[in-house]
Amino acid sequence: MKELDELGGDELDERRTEELDELGAHDWERLAEMRADFLDAATGDECAGLADYWMSRRDLELYDRTFGARIGWKWQAVARELALRGIVPPSGCVLDWGCGTGVATRVFLETFGTERVSRVHLFDRSPAAREFACERVRAEHPGVAIADDALPSDASADVLLVSHVLAELDEPASSELLALARRARWIAWVEPGSLPISRRLSALRDELRAELEPLAPCTHAESCGMLVPGRERDWCHHFARPPAEVHQSRHWSRFARELGIDLRSLPYSFLVLARREDVHAARSSTASRILGRPRVEKASARIDACDRDGVHDLVLLKRESKELFKSLSEPALDCPIFEWRVEGSRIREPRRAIQSDARMTRDGAQDRAT
Ligand SMILES: C[S@@+](CC[C@H](N)C(=O)[O-])C[C@H]1O[C@@H](n2cnc3c(N)ncnc32)[C@H](O)[C@@H]1O
């Protein structure tokens, strides 16, 4: 890392601000405690739930600067994929269920703008979290109408955002959320990329399929290929890319050291669905999506790929596509959806089904960047 006297202008200001804002030993201890609770909840009894853990406003600030920021990078990866695939949320009311510090809403508004949002409802069982989220969303988007009151039992949303809550819910809370999801017009749901949570999300996808069509990460609307017998040890997950400046930051290098977290690895699972009657064009395609982390060897790579016929273990030889082969070693793959032929288990003639130079305007029209 550069010394202070090697830095100029903005870089110097940024570094000074960061140093002024440094977290103390007590803060790191509290973050380690929170992380232990999150991990316990994620690996423990599915229906046990987790008691309210926001003990102070400082907890929310600490979360927002660390775990919440990382979750924001996952949402940015999802938003980027939606833009590339031309998937646009409907206009109307946005409900962020289990909002915490409001990170999902903040990325949503940043990505899709506020013009088509009639109201944002920030809902959390914790009043402290609701208050914090409202403050942050208001500060970033002063014009937007915000509600944070209790939800009526028949609440519904045009856009339902759910982020990193599944591990914390007991049975009644899960059922409440599922009922809400069934009434929503459009859902974006992001969770950690761990096996148990991702498989629960896949199961929810299939439960919701009667009313809602899966739009992403799936390339098809058939039942989830991960849930077939024999695949119990596999899960549908993806990797996001943290912003490059994270690797130069004292705050983030301390975060990695104190909490034993590898900054380069940001696994997540996600699901985007829309009401069947709102999906006009057929979404099922012959495209395949690469899942998880390919196992790359010297001249070949083993790939788990999902398409409308299920999940397949495939092999890509380096000589088939040097470009794709090289990209498989990267920490994160941007929207890895491909058209290819399969011979035996060998991938032949792969080509990207979605060009990564596609951009989307906020009114939903898709642009091609030149
Ligand atoms: C790990 S935090 C995630 C917060 C935020 N969605 C994010 O992605 O950063 C989980 C949030 O869910 C909330 N939560 C847990 N159980 C809940 C329930 N039964 N009803 C409403 N909120 C709940 C917690 O208070 C907490 O704010």
Side-chain angles (χ1 to χ4, degrees):
M1 184 183 290
K2 287 188 206 167
E3 295 302 321
L4 277 182
D5 57 6
E6 295 175 289
L7 298 174
D10 288 351
E11 235 183 334
L12 185 58
D13 285 348
E14 224 168 82
R15 179 74 63 80
R16 285 205 173 116
T17 312
E18 198 180 79
E19 287 180 9
L20 282 176
D21 277 0
E22 262 177 29
L23 309 186
H26 182 69
D27 294 327
W28 291 111
E29 278 163 28
R30 181 67 190 119
L31 283 166
E33 266 171 30
M34 279 191 220
R35 177 156 198 260
D37 285 348
F38 295 146
L39 290 177
D40 277 355
T43 50
D45 176 1
E46 237 184 60
C47 300
L50 191 63
D52 188 0
Y53 44 80
W54 300 122
M55 286 160 55
S56 64
R57 186 182 165 86
R58 184 66 177 160
D59 279 0
L60 289 148
E61 282 167 0
L62 294 174
Y63 175 91
D64 202 49
R65 287 181 54 188
T66 53
F67 305 124
R70 279 166 59 82
I71 290 171
W73 304 334
K74 299 180 193 181
W75 277 93
Q76 282 165 357
V78 171
R80 179 168 160 71
E81 168 155 350
L82 297 183
L84 289 171
R85 295 177 69 177
I87 298 173
V88 187
S91 51
C93 156
V94 175
L95 168 58
D96 184 346
W97 197 96
C99 63
T101 60
V103 81
T105 295
R106 283 144 65 192
V107 177
F108 180 89
L109 295 178
E110 186 58 44
T111 307
F112 296 106
T114 54
E115 298 82 4
R116 299 164 68 242
V117 173
S118 56
R119 188 176 58 129
V120 167
H121 195 139
L122 296 160
F123 176 73
D124 199 288
R125 68 176 170 195
S126 155
R130 295 200 299 269
E131 190 185 323
F132 189 96
C134 284
E135 261 176 44
R136 286 295 153 106
V137 173
R138 200 166 282 126
E140 288 176 24
H141 302 281
V144 91
I146 301 177
D148 71 344
D149 40 345
L151 285 175
S153 59
D154 61 347
S156 64
D158 293 303
V159 171
L160 175 63
L161 306 178
V162 189
S163 177
H164 291 70
V165 297
L166 215 39
E168 300 187 12
L169 305 183
D170 57 16
E171 220 308 287
S174 292
S175 306
E176 185 193 326
L177 179 54
L178 188 61
L180 187 60
R182 284 191 200 286
R183 295 191 296 269
R185 276 183 69 199
W186 192 92
I187 304 173
W189 194 324
V190 177
E191 289 286 345
S194 66
L195 181 149
I197 298 297
S198 160
R199 291 187 65 85
R200 280 170 69 185
L201 197 58
S202 293
L204 282 170
R205 170 197 185 276
D206 279 7
E207 274 188 65
L208 291 169
R209 241 170 22 107
E211 296 92 2
L212 294 144
E213 176 141 331
L215 303 182
C218 323
T219 59
H220 63 86
E222 309 302 319
S223 55
C224 178
M226 273 302 176
L227 301 179
V228 300
R231 286 232 166 250
E232 292 76 8
R233 294 167 63 83
D234 295 332
W235 70 108
C236 175
H237 64 296
H238 324 276
F239 289 88
R241 200 189 303 271
E245 54 276 18
V246 160
H247 305 292
Q248 308 293 324
S249 148
R250 266 167 64 151
H251 168 69
W252 286 108
S253 86
R254 179 121 192 238
F255 171 85
R257 207 172 52 246
E258 293 278 350
L259 299 169
I261 290 177
D262 179 354
L263 289 177
R264 287 161 308 176
S265 179
L266 201 51
Y268 68 101
S269 47
F270 79 108
L271 193 53
V272 176
L273 310 114
R275 288 212 83 73
R276 288 208 174 277
E277 58 269 29
D278 289 346
V279 179
H280 304 300
R283 284 271 167 188
S284 241
S285 78
T286 53
S288 301
R289 183 189 188 99
I290 297 180
L291 303 177
R293 185 92 74 207
R295 280 88 64 208
V296 180
E297 289 166 12
K298 207 163 168 221
S300 67
R302 301 193 71 86
I303 289 174
D304 295 333
C306 176
D307 65 22
R308 62 188 179 184
D309 298 323
V311 177
H312 315 278
D313 305 328
L314 301 178
V315 175
L316 177 76
L317 298 185
K318 183 177 182 179
R319 65 169 187 265
E320 188 71 36
S321 166
K322 289 208 172 76
E323 192 195 341
L324 172 57
F325 184 83
K326 188 164 169 243
S327 74
L328 296 180
S329 298
E330 288 176 13
L333 296 169
D334 262 351
C335 194
I337 297 181
F338 293 85
E339 295 283 356
W340 55 42
R341 280 191 306 113
V342 176
E343 280 176 15
S345 61
R346 255 185 73 182
I347 293 173
R348 305 302 304 264
E349 298 165 29
R351 62 184 172 79
R352 276 200 177 266
I354 288 151
Q355 292 309 316
S356 56
D357 63 356
R359 276 192 282 124
M360 199 188 56
T361 55
R362 281 182 176 172
D363 64 4
Q366 205 172 354
D367 271 355
R368 294 274 153 198
T370 46

